[in-house]
Amino acid sequence: MSSATITLVVQPRGKLIKDLPSELEIASNVSTAGIYDSLAQTSGFSIHRLRITKGSDRSVVPNSRNTIIDDLGLKDKSVIHVKDLGPQISWRTVFIIEYLGPLLIPILFLYPLRSLIYYNFDQPLPERSSLQLFVCELLTVHFLKREFETVYVHRFSNATMPARNIVKNSAHYWILAGFNIAYWVFRPDAASMTNHPNPALFYPGLALFVFGELANFNAHLILRDLRRPGSTERGIPVGLGFGLVTCPNYLFEVIAWLGVYLVSGMSWSVLFFILVGGAQMISWAKKKERRYRKEFGDKYKNKMYVMLPGLI
């Protein structure tokens, strides 16, 4: 492809971006990532803080090394709009913060803060039960696994998100999986306040937890290997559960939490977390199924169920 230098007309969208040039001269045969690199350098902003769209149809100009400017339909004097997305935070950091709350809160509730949190019960409080200690261990294992996967397994299609969203994103885990479960399961009058758990609940629950955690981890490894390091390109996942539903990682996540629910003595707080989290995962799974069908076409075998076999 012959190289031709074109001039793009640059216009801010939303709040004014200091030092943003009004025009950008660039070769038409370079990747669209070159636009981001040039505007980030002149504006002093990170490329992840900028969103660039075509003035003609408002479609996003991707920050991609594989998309050529000329192929995107940008010509000489084409208008591009540049929006400041605000301060950004890496998705990896977001997940680490999200899972840190429910990792530490149960331990705090069960140990140093116990007498303060349950101040309205007769003092001194009875000793923690062996079952409460075991549930705390299950929660610790689960969220330590989540932190490990965040650091060493997951590859993110988007590098960052707006920093202001960190509170909203963390609320689900900190409140529902942290404060909610810890408070009710570790109460001195909870069903889990026993050293002799019901075998009909304990052993099936433990089996579901172990299977769900291992199968979920396997699904995450399969999804990780579909994407090359530094790439946003995806393949079609194949493996345990993927022939049955679109997102077996979500299915196995629910199975693991059902295990916690049974082991805890069927605490309503754990069930509430499962229902809220499950509803969100179903929404994500439906979107992923639509994306697979659009992205891979006839190469992809459409799934009848996105997350729960026989149901959804």
Side-chain angles (χ1 to χ4, degrees):
M1 181 183 294
S2 59
S3 174
T5 299
I6 62 173
T7 299
L8 298 176
V9 179
V10 181
Q11 297 178 355
R13 186 176 180 186
K15 62 182 179 181
L16 191 65
I17 301 176
K18 185 179 179 181
D19 298 327
L20 184 72
S22 59
E23 293 184 340
L24 173 65
E25 290 189 0
I26 194 167
S28 62
N29 66 342
V30 304
S31 69
T32 53
I35 301 177
Y36 282 84
D37 292 338
S38 297
L39 294 180
Q41 183 176 5
T42 55
S43 67
F45 283 5
S46 163
I47 58 174
H48 303 301
R49 185 166 173 167
L50 302 176
R51 172 183 285 172
I52 302 175
T53 55
K54 295 166 59 177
S56 57
D57 59 7
R58 299 288 180 90
S59 62
V60 174
V61 176
N63 179 18
S64 170
R65 302 291 175 187
N66 301 318
T67 304
I68 305 302
I69 291 176
D70 193 50
D71 293 343
L72 202 62
L74 292 172
K75 307 296 183 182
D76 191 48
K77 299 302 180 182
S78 289
V79 176
I80 57 173
H81 294 152
V82 182
K83 182 175 182 178
D84 174 16
L85 298 176
Q88 300 289 295
I89 185 172
S90 75
W91 272 102
R92 200 175 305 277
T93 301
V94 169
F95 280 116
I96 289 174
I97 294 173
E98 281 183 0
Y99 303 144
L100 187 62
L103 175 62
L104 298 179
I105 289 171
I107 298 173
L108 293 174
F109 271 52
L110 200 55
Y111 290 98
L113 301 181
R114 189 166 181 256
S115 61
L116 296 177
I117 293 169
Y118 302 114
Y119 67 91
N120 55 327
F121 286 85
D122 292 338
Q123 303 292 327
L125 294 174
E127 284 296 315
R128 311 158 192 84
S129 74
S130 60
L131 184 58
Q132 288 176 328
L133 295 174
F134 191 76
V135 172
C136 185
E137 291 170 357
L138 293 186
L139 296 174
T140 301
V141 167
H142 176 78
F143 286 107
L144 278 177
K145 167 183 167 291
R146 285 289 192 93
E147 296 285 29
F148 176 84
E149 290 173 337
T150 298
V151 176
Y152 297 107
V153 177
H154 294 320
R155 291 173 182 158
F156 301 94
S157 56
N158 296 316
T160 65
M161 62 168 278
R164 64 179 179 274
N165 289 348
I166 185 64
V167 174
K168 178 184 69 176
N169 281 45
S170 297
H172 171 73
Y173 286 102
W174 283 60
I175 295 175
L176 293 186
F179 295 110
N180 169 57
I181 291 178
Y183 178 80
W184 294 104
V185 174
F186 300 150
R187 280 172 60 102
D189 61 350
S192 58
M193 187 63 180
T194 177
N195 295 318
H196 304 284
N198 183 347
L201 296 177
F202 182 84
Y203 291 109
L206 180 58
L208 288 175
F209 178 82
V210 172
F211 170 77
E213 292 292 325
L214 292 176
N216 175 266
F217 182 69
N218 178 70
H220 286 161
L221 290 178
I222 292 173
L223 293 171
R224 187 275 307 272
D225 291 340
L226 295 177
R227 181 177 293 156
R228 298 189 305 275
S231 170
T232 60
E233 296 180 358
R234 291 180 292 265
I236 300 175
V238 177
L240 179 64
F242 283 98
L244 190 62
V245 295
T246 308
C247 297
N249 50 319
Y250 297 157
L251 168 63
F252 299 140
E253 176 85 2
V254 170
I255 289 175
W257 276 105
L258 285 174
V260 177
Y261 171 63
L262 294 179
V263 170
S264 70
M266 303 178 69
S267 171
W268 71 267
S269 62
V270 180
L271 181 60
F272 181 66
F273 174 72
I274 294 172
L275 292 176
V276 174
Q280 180 62 74
M281 287 187 284
I282 289 170
S283 175
W284 290 336
K286 288 180 177 179
K287 290 179 181 178
K288 183 162 288 189
E289 174 66 18
R290 290 194 293 268
R291 188 171 71 234
Y292 280 160
R293 294 184 184 187
K294 180 179 179 180
E295 185 174 353
F296 299 112
D298 294 338
K299 296 180 181 179
Y300 176 70
K301 183 179 179 180
N302 296 347
K303 303 297 190 303
M304 182 177 298
Y305 305 107
V306 297
M307 195 178 96
L308 302 176
L311 295 176
I312 300 174

